[in-house]
Amino acid sequence: MMKKLTLMLLLAIGVAAAAASIASAQPKMTDEQALIALDKQWTAAELRLNADDRKTIDRVVAADYTGTTPFGQIENKAQYMVGLKHSEDTDVADEYVVRFFDGGKLAVMSHRGTVNGKPTYRSTHVWVKRGNDWQLIQNHVSNIGEPPATP
């Protein structure tokens, strides 16, 4: 009986060590990768906009959020949340640039958004790390228009 118990204990320790080794071998996401993933999750939630998506958006967008719309209006979180509407559009972001400040606790992100296959806007987000979570505190969106004609 004692031999079986010892063997089972050794087996359990071996399995735990192997699992820890495998877990540590998995590449850990950088803060930049995590923010880009969070940005994509937020955009997908804005488009689908079901009850769970509203919870996701509420978690991602900080209470002290301020946003500037593509048309120049300033809105707080409550105004932003009220203005959300489900959309069948596609919205794919690329050209991400992320810079970190304040010892990695503040990040400024910019990217281009392509809606339904057409580059439509550029966006700048300011993210703050609160505890272990990133939250969006500032957002500015500009529509992409035709450049002015040169004389």
Side-chain angles (χ1 to χ4, degrees):
M1 180 71 165
M2 191 62 131
K3 283 184 181 180
K4 277 188 176 180
L5 252 149
T6 303
L7 184 60
M8 286 177 35
L9 181 60
L10 288 173
L11 183 61
I13 291 170
V15 168
S21 174
I22 290 169
S24 67
Q26 299 296 321
K28 187 169 182 194
M29 234 195 291
T30 65
D31 276 344
E32 179 178 6
Q33 292 167 327
L35 275 174
I36 290 170
L38 185 59
D39 183 74
K40 291 180 181 204
Q41 179 187 17
W42 170 46
T43 300
E46 281 185 320
L47 295 172
R48 274 189 316 262
L49 211 57
N50 62 36
D52 286 338
D53 292 325
R54 284 194 176 274
K55 290 177 190 170
T56 296
I57 294 166
D58 187 52
R59 178 180 45 80
V60 170
V61 177
D64 53 346
Y65 166 86
T66 303
T68 304
T69 72
F71 305 104
Q73 290 89 14
I74 304 294
E75 58 187 10
N76 62 28
K77 181 177 181 175
Q79 293 164 325
Y80 160 75
M81 296 293 286
V82 165
L84 290 172
K85 292 182 181 20
H86 168 80
S87 176
E88 295 295 328
D89 290 341
T90 61
D91 188 340
V92 179
D94 63 0
E95 298 183 3
Y96 277 96
V97 176
V98 182
R99 295 187 59 211
F100 292 91
F101 303 91
D102 193 23
K105 295 177 186 167
L106 185 73
V108 177
M109 168 193 285
S110 64
H111 66 76
R112 177 179 68 171
T114 299
V115 177
N116 299 328
K118 181 179 187 254
T120 306
Y121 67 91
R122 291 211 179 262
S123 187
T124 302
H125 312 308
V126 178
W127 298 89
V128 65
K129 194 167 196 177
R130 293 179 169 155
N132 292 325
D133 299 320
W134 286 100
Q135 285 195 305
L136 182 69
I137 58 170
Q138 182 75 42
N139 181 37
H140 185 274
V141 181
S142 297
N143 286 326
I144 296 175
E146 293 296 318
T150 54

